[in-house]
Amino acid sequence: MNEMTICSLPAGVSARRNSLNNVDFLEISFSKPRRKCTRLPCGLNIKQAVHVVRLLATSRRDLRPRTLSYAVPNENDEAKKAASHDCNLDSMALHSDNNGSSKYSDVEVVASISCLEDAISQTVENLKSQGSILDKLKAVHLHLLASEQWNASRLKLCHRRYSDSARNLIHYLALRCLDFEQLKEDLSCTGLLNLESINSYILASLTAGIQLLENQKSSSLNTEANILYQEDNGNFTIQALGKKLATNKELLLGPLRHNQTNHIMVTVGQEASEGEITDILKAGASIIRINCAHGNPSIWSEIIRRVKTSSQMLETPCQILMDLAGPKLRTGNLKPGPCIIKISPQKNATGNVIFPSQVWLSHKDAGPPPSHLSPDAVLFIDDKKFLSELQVGHILKFYDARGKKRMLKICRKFHVFSGTGFVAECSRTAYVQSGTELHRKGKKIRFPVAQVVDVPAVEPFIRLRVGDLLTISRDSSCEQDESSEPTSSAHRITCPSSCLFDSVKPGEPIAFDDGKIWGLIQGASISEIVVSITHAGPRGTKLGSGKSINIPKSNIPFEGLTTKDLMDLEFVASHADMVGISFVRDSRDIAMLRKELEKRKVQNLGVVLKIETKSGFERLPHILLEAMKSSNLLGVMIARGDLAVECGWERLADMQEEILSICDAAHVPVIWATQVLESLVKFGVPTRAEITDVASARRASCVMLNKGKHVVEAVSTLDKILHINTAQMQADLKPLPLSSHLF
């Protein structure tokens, strides 16, 4: 059997693309090559009877070839073995420099071709008439093996858990850099392979396709050909690789419930009661997410206690993911508003009350109302005895913050975990503040008085309109008092991150609150940034404390893990099943994380990489290969909020599909996140687009919901959509009756 050797020719050729009926390749014309063809130092020897194989690499910028690789047998059909310095392993490898980007990021392999002539100039002409599907598949197969050899040093650094997955990821990247549209069409016409659906086992699928075509060419099975393309690693088969993703999903996200195919994750905060968490788990959720950007270890501990209590009571396993805040730019804290709450009934167009306001009354230690209730306001009372004597039908009188006389009528009574709660109705608008006295109405009998306590402060905000000027300041003493809206169009807010002021330039766009507000930077200094608002709602858009700030075109030098992240990591490592790494930008962030986990000897903590920046998306393969050096279980979250703002709304759909494909090739579970069923979560009614979005999310291993008023209903709806019985749907579709006159 002939053996061939991959060789290289120095650059110095001109190239132009030709599209032929039978093969797609680069036509070349030589400009006096000065060196002989010699062997690549990687020593890639393929036991395959092909005569010429060429790999052409061109620059995306100027289309000039950097490296031309091919294999040629000598006159006796034997492989030549000689030394060469023309091509080395690093020249085409996925090599990262100090910036985390590829050393040759502008180089891509354009084509891999095999043909039947020993002269390259003659090869170009013969390929026009002698190309075949089998030849093309062999060339692609050879190209994948060469790419694996070029990245051999990187693959050796991966943990044994991910060795096969890393190899398949390299094969995926090598395949995607080829222009194989004609080959894909040819394979689809023959019904042999679908190159879009083999991401999880690329090389094994190509091998199977080649074997089928080889067997078709001969009248009997060619044993030699079968051995030719047989993998020596029994774990690198279609069946074995097909199970990799399912295995990794179960190890990271936990076992699936009966009849489920996707996990459901729900974000909860300190306001979530034990009863609400229980209802969330009952509805179908199997993972609870805690955002470390809000709260502190004592609050997180209480949430985890409630989750574990509910999980044990339901005898249902539940994983906990804790997201580190990361180096995200956020607006600073505005001065809090007054501690007052507005109670307002529903009115019709003429101002008449059509539905009284629903108010929840309970002791301050009783917690929030049951999850199935949606009161318009919640009032906590300081007197348990006063509450214990209340009955349905009683009326409570009070004077609101304006001195207006108002009444609450008790209409329902509930027993909660730590006491009793009531639903009362109010038919007139009232403003209630802490210290408001409630008197029970009675005839000639003086009843005890209770006080309203712990009324939260009104959430402060500024309302921005198109044309307004917004000043962002470092100094928190410059905070604007927004208790009453200003009459001028000048507003002021702070940002605690100093790197914002050191990096931005006039003329750069800036976005707030996940793109709800856009502006243009008019001026910047070390202490202030002046922004002109270019996009907001027709009546203005509110901007509050802790809202996101994105500057897509600015290269802000963020640190991978902040000081707060490192402090929170200590808690997360001992209390959670998974840690979410926010705003991953390049492989250096992962190297830093791996170092911190090794320092703490944390090996059982799952790692979820949140892809929400342009650089994180573009460098995802490098990031995954860096993460695969560790034994920690690995996952990826598509954080579509910041990703859309950073990269553009029009690119989001294609980007999330690309992330799914890359992670499928790497056998890494994906979490589909941000604004899933958002209208249902907030208002109780989903949009049609949200339903189809969830249907698309079935490709992911897990779908995440944010917290909201109707989150339990949203979990139930999401569970039904994700795990709908396809067989039952087909049974529900009635066959079309055929008219008798057609026959």
Side-chain angles (χ1 to χ4, degrees), residues 26 59 89 95 138 173 191 233 278 293 301 312 337 373 379 450 561 565 636 690 694 702 735 737:
L26 288 180
S59 168
L89 182 66
H95 175 67
K138 286 180 178 179
L173 298 173
N233 183 0
T278 300
S301 296
Q312 292 172 0
L373 296 179
L379 299 180
L561 292 175
D565 291 338
V636 164
E690 288 175 348
V694 170
C702 177

Side-chain angles (χ1 to χ4, degrees), residues 332-530:
N333 293 325
L334 293 167
K335 290 182 179 179
C339 295
I340 195 168
I341 187 170
K342 181 181 179 181
I343 301 174
S344 180
Q346 294 184 23
K347 299 179 181 180
N348 59 15
T350 60
N352 295 320
V353 175
I354 57 175
F355 194 76
S357 180
Q358 305 291 299
V359 181
W360 172 260
L361 296 175
S362 69
H363 191 263
K364 59 183 180 180
D365 296 331
S371 58
H372 65 277
L373 296 179
S374 299
D376 301 304
V378 175
L379 299 180
F380 294 119
I381 311 300
D382 65 344
D383 193 339
K384 288 185 177 180
K385 183 180 179 181
F386 178 87
L387 289 168
S388 64
E389 295 175 353
L390 285 180
Q391 298 295 330
V392 174
H394 286 174
I395 294 177
L396 304 179
K397 298 186 298 182
F398 66 95
Y399 290 90
D400 73 354
R402 304 167 299 171
K404 303 290 185 179
K405 186 177 180 180
R406 296 291 183 260
M407 291 188 299
L408 291 170
K409 182 179 180 180
I410 307 297
C411 59
R412 282 184 288 175
K413 182 177 181 179
F414 294 90
H415 294 284
V416 291
F417 285 104
S418 54
T420 305
F422 301 87
V423 173
E425 293 181 347
C426 184
S427 299
R428 301 182 68 183
T429 301
Y431 292 84
V432 180
Q433 59 188 351
S434 294
T436 298
E437 294 184 345
L438 300 179
H439 301 264
R440 198 174 117 198
K441 186 178 180 180
K443 294 182 179 180
K444 299 181 182 180
I445 301 177
R446 191 176 185 85
F447 292 104
V449 177
Q451 285 189 345
V452 177
V453 295
D454 297 341
V455 175
V458 175
E459 184 178 352
F461 64 88
I462 56 178
R463 187 179 295 276
L464 297 173
R465 298 173 176 83
V466 175
D468 287 354
L469 291 178
L470 173 66
T471 300
I472 308 174
S473 173
R474 283 180 188 252
D475 188 5
S476 60
S477 63
C478 298
E479 289 176 345
Q480 179 173 319
D481 184 2
E482 296 293 336
S483 55
S484 59
E485 290 197 24
T487 56
S488 69
S489 60
H491 303 270
R492 183 175 292 271
I493 202 167
T494 63
C495 177
S497 178
S498 60
C499 61
L500 171 66
F501 303 88
D502 300 332
S503 306
V504 299
K505 300 176 183 177
E508 291 180 337
I510 183 170
F512 302 93
D513 196 6
D514 288 337
K516 293 184 177 69
I517 303 169
W518 282 86
L520 202 64
I521 296 176
Q522 299 294 331
S525 68
I526 60 173
S527 59
E528 284 188 348
I529 298 173
V530 178

Side-chain angles (χ1 to χ4, degrees), residues 61-274:
R61 293 195 296 263
D62 54 15
L63 295 179
R64 290 180 301 171
R66 294 282 186 87
T67 302
L68 174 62
S69 298
Y70 57 91
V72 184
N74 62 14
E75 296 175 353
N76 299 321
D77 277 344
E78 295 176 353
K80 290 185 177 181
K81 294 185 179 180
S84 171
H85 301 284
D86 298 333
C87 182
N88 55 53
L89 182 66
D90 295 331
S91 66
M92 294 295 288
L94 283 169
H95 175 67
S96 297
D97 58 11
N98 293 332
N99 294 325
S101 60
S102 172
K103 183 178 180 182
Y104 293 95
S105 59
D106 61 329
V107 173
E108 66 174 325
V109 177
V110 180
S112 288
I113 311 170
S114 66
C115 56
L116 301 174
E117 296 292 333
D118 57 358
I120 294 180
S121 58
Q122 190 67 26
T123 296
V124 174
E125 297 299 327
N126 289 346
L127 272 174
K128 297 178 181 179
S129 59
Q130 296 184 17
S132 68
I133 296 179
L134 180 58
D135 291 333
K136 295 175 188 178
L137 280 182
K138 286 180 178 179
V140 173
H141 187 277
L142 176 62
H143 172 54
L144 301 190
L145 292 176
S147 299
E148 183 179 330
Q149 289 292 329
W150 285 330
N151 292 279
S153 58
R154 178 183 291 273
L155 292 173
K156 287 180 181 179
L157 297 176
C158 294
H159 190 271
R160 61 181 181 273
R161 181 198 298 273
Y162 297 111
S163 58
D164 292 337
S165 299
R167 285 180 64 194
N168 193 69
L169 176 58
I170 294 295
H171 297 158
Y172 169 83
L173 298 173
L175 181 64
R176 289 302 298 266
C177 74
L178 299 177
D179 187 358
F180 56 89
E181 288 301 319
Q182 184 62 47
L183 175 60
K184 186 167 63 174
E185 183 177 339
D186 293 342
L187 290 172
S188 298
C189 292
T190 60
L192 184 63
L193 277 177
N194 181 0
L195 294 181
E196 298 292 339
S197 62
I198 62 171
N199 293 340
S200 295
Y201 30 77
I202 291 174
L203 189 64
S205 295
L206 290 177
T207 301
I210 292 172
Q211 288 177 343
L212 285 173
L213 291 175
E214 288 279 13
N215 292 339
Q216 286 180 0
K217 287 178 63 178
S218 60
S219 56
S220 60
L221 292 177
N222 188 339
T223 307
E224 188 176 23
N226 288 334
I227 298 174
L228 191 73
Y229 286 97
Q230 188 173 0
E231 277 286 335
D232 56 353
N233 183 0
N235 294 327
F236 210 73
T237 62
I238 294 178
Q239 292 77 12
L241 293 176
K243 296 178 182 177
K244 279 280 185 182
L245 179 57
T247 301
N248 291 340
K249 178 169 71 172
E250 182 171 347
L251 290 173
L252 177 70
L253 305 175
L256 288 164
R257 297 182 188 176
H258 182 62
N259 291 332
Q260 285 191 338
T261 55
N262 305 77
H263 287 274
I264 296 176
M265 179 186 298
V266 178
T267 302
V268 301
Q270 61 178 329
E271 71 280 354
S273 65
E274 195 171 300

Side-chain angles (χ1 to χ4, degrees), residues 18 41 45 87 328:
N18 285 269
N45 298 316
C87 182
K328 184 171 185 175

